[in-house]
Amino acid sequence: MLSVLRESRYRNLFTAQVVALLGTGLLTVALGLLAYDIAGADAGAVLGTALTIKMVAYVGVAPVIAALVNRLPRKAVLIGADVIRLAVAISLPFLTDIWQIYLLVFILQSASATFTPAFQSLIPVVLPNERDYTKALSLSRLAYDLEALVSPLLAAALLSVIEFNLLFVGTAVGFALSAVLVLVTPFPSRTPVTTTGSVWHRTTLGARIFARTPSLRFLMAMNFVVGAGTALVLVNTVVYARDVFQFDNSSLGFALACYGAGSLLVAINVPRLVERIGDRRLMLTGATVSSLALIGAVGMTAWATSAAGGGAWWLLLPLWLFIGAGNSMISTPSARLLARASDDNTRNYIYTAQFSLSHACFLITYPLAGWIGAASLTVAAAVLAVIAIVAGLIASRGWRSPTNTPKSIEQEKMAS
């Protein structure tokens, strides 16, 4: 898997991704502390609103920006997004009102919604060999999972010697290094992009390609499977750990680490797995694993909330591991479908559509997990399990081609 780092252009881009992720991780911790500093006991409501603004930017802003910047040089788009994120990070420590947090979070996440799809769409151009691209996808997944573990630890270590406001400096440094690495990386020559139609036509182009391409409709259903499992883990783990089992804060980290470990274990092995069984079968296996784990979570939750449910904690941990593994079986190879269904004229639109549509699933599953979970964790787990099962069944019937041959890929492109 590490062999793709021999390609200097990809190595620079991967390093840029890692340092930007670390900066974003520090920002998450610092923003929570800033919200508490300004809003006190209302910090949770502030952060909830800020996360909603983030999702709105991802879902609504990303396609519009993609339509506006598609003809611009990719390097200029990426560096511009990093510079905007850097400027926002430097400004955050000086905020004094909640509305200022909301405004800058919207700007920051709009810049991230510009950077991420453009960055992701560049990787298959730098690594045109599909086997190398699959290795790069696994490395990218590893980077995301490791960031979730490393950034909080790094923030905790820094907070022992500095004030929390200085964490924003670390965030700015991450974005600055990302911009520099993108600047010094020679990009492949790009075929001139043909731009036709209105801004609205280009804004909706990615979604329309999704709607008429069987493999992308399959991916859209799979996004709901990932959204269901992720929502249960990220929204309700703290409730299980602190309220249901009445453990301390370390139990929350341990449970989330189990989820991350499952994802890491699969990501490392994805290049071998897709060679053996193909994308479709691997992703459907992931949907099955996640759905079964969610069904198990329903039983675990019912047991945990009963009078004799103390031992259910030791069932929660492997269930979270399996949810992480199942989600990684779906998420890691999913970009291979995007790469095959796109060309130079449509690539950025398709990657942006996946970025927006996948986050739109979270806009549905996160509130369901939170609102229903506030009344009954068992019902919340059951609703999310039903969503995953139905989405998996729809996906299995929506795209039946199990082959990954160039001929079948070209036939699908012509059909769409």
Side-chain angles (χ1 to χ4, degrees):
M1 185 170 59
L2 297 176
S3 62
V4 291
L5 294 176
R6 296 171 188 161
E7 162 54 66
S8 60
R9 293 175 301 180
Y10 174 70
R11 184 171 62 247
N12 286 352
L13 291 173
F14 178 71
T15 306
Q17 178 191 21
V18 169
V19 296
L21 282 174
L22 285 173
T24 302
L26 294 178
L27 175 67
T28 301
V29 176
L31 192 60
L33 295 172
L34 176 65
Y36 186 81
D37 193 49
I38 293 177
D42 293 330
V46 172
L47 285 178
T49 304
L51 288 174
T52 301
I53 291 172
K54 171 183 175 178
M55 289 299 171
V56 169
Y58 281 4
V59 174
V61 175
V64 177
I65 294 178
L68 295 174
V69 306
N70 193 50
R71 295 189 65 180
L72 298 178
R74 285 179 293 215
K75 183 173 290 191
V77 171
L78 293 174
I79 293 174
D82 268 337
V83 169
I84 292 172
R85 296 195 292 182
L86 187 158
V88 170
I90 294 236
S91 303
L92 282 169
F94 303 102
L95 303 187
T96 56
D97 292 311
I98 294 173
W99 70 266
Q100 295 170 339
I101 292 180
Y102 296 156
L103 175 62
L104 288 189
V105 164
F106 179 77
I107 296 172
L108 175 73
Q109 301 304 340
S110 295
S112 293
T114 303
F115 181 93
T116 302
F119 177 89
Q120 292 172 339
S121 67
L122 180 63
I123 304 304
V125 181
V126 174
L127 297 173
N129 181 277
E130 190 169 57
R131 181 173 296 179
D132 289 339
Y133 182 47
T134 304
K135 294 177 181 178
L137 293 176
S138 294
L139 272 178
S140 179
R141 184 71 192 184
L142 283 172
Y144 278 105
D145 290 336
L146 287 173
E147 181 275 325
L149 296 174
V150 172
S151 290
L153 296 176
L154 178 60
L158 291 173
L159 286 171
S160 67
V161 294
I162 64 174
E163 296 292 329
F164 80 86
N165 278 338
L166 292 178
L167 291 181
F168 292 114
V169 176
T171 298
V173 170
F175 293 145
L177 288 175
S178 174
V180 170
L181 286 165
V182 170
L183 178 64
V184 301
T185 302
F187 283 13
S189 58
R190 186 181 188 186
T191 304
V193 174
T194 303
T195 301
T196 58
S198 64
V199 172
W200 173 252
H201 171 84
R202 300 197 303 275
T203 298
T204 59
L205 178 59
R208 286 185 281 113
I209 294 174
F210 258 75
R212 67 176 184 246
T213 306
S215 62
L216 298 185
R217 291 199 301 268
F218 167 87
L219 177 55
M220 187 61 232
M222 284 293 172
N223 287 335
F224 273 100
V225 180
V226 173
T230 303
L232 181 66
V233 172
L234 295 189
V235 175
N236 287 332
T237 299
V238 65
V239 183
Y240 282 105
R242 296 306 310 274
D243 188 44
V244 175
F245 297 105
Q246 297 184 349
F247 293 154
D248 58 21
N249 288 334
S250 62
S251 63
L252 171 61
F254 192 50
L256 293 177
C258 288
Y259 174 78
S263 181
L264 281 170
L265 181 64
V266 168
I268 292 170
N269 290 284
V270 161
R272 288 189 291 270
L273 291 171
V274 294
E275 288 292 326
R276 289 186 177 184
I277 65 175
D279 301 307
R280 179 181 182 273
R281 287 178 61 189
L282 178 60
M283 294 172 75
L284 286 174
T285 300
T288 301
V289 170
S290 289
S291 297
L292 290 174
L294 284 169
I295 293 172
V298 177
M300 179 274 298
T301 307
W303 180 28
T305 53
S306 68
W313 174 253
W314 301 107
L315 181 57
L316 179 146
L317 298 178
L319 287 172
W320 266 220
L321 185 143
F322 281 116
I323 292 174
N327 284 355
S328 188
M329 289 181 199
I330 297 170
S331 298
T332 306
S334 63
R336 287 162 53 97
L337 306 185
L338 303 176
R340 295 195 196 107
S342 61
D343 55 30
D344 281 339
N345 286 326
T346 61
R347 185 170 291 113
N348 196 38
Y349 296 120
I350 289 176
Y351 276 79
T352 302
Q354 165 62 5
F355 184 80
S356 295
L357 292 172
S358 61
H359 284 89
C361 295
F362 294 135
L363 271 178
I364 296 172
T365 59
Y366 280 3
L368 286 176
W371 296 340
I372 299 176
S376 170
L377 285 175
T378 304
V379 175
V383 169
L384 293 170
V386 169
I387 290 174
I389 292 167
V390 171
L393 290 173
I394 292 172
S396 67
R397 296 174 179 274
W399 179 46
R400 294 187 175 276
S401 172
T403 59
N404 295 325
T405 63
K407 182 178 180 180
S408 68
I409 295 165
E410 187 61 32
Q411 287 173 342
E412 178 166 306
K413 285 184 178 180
M414 293 175 65
S416 66

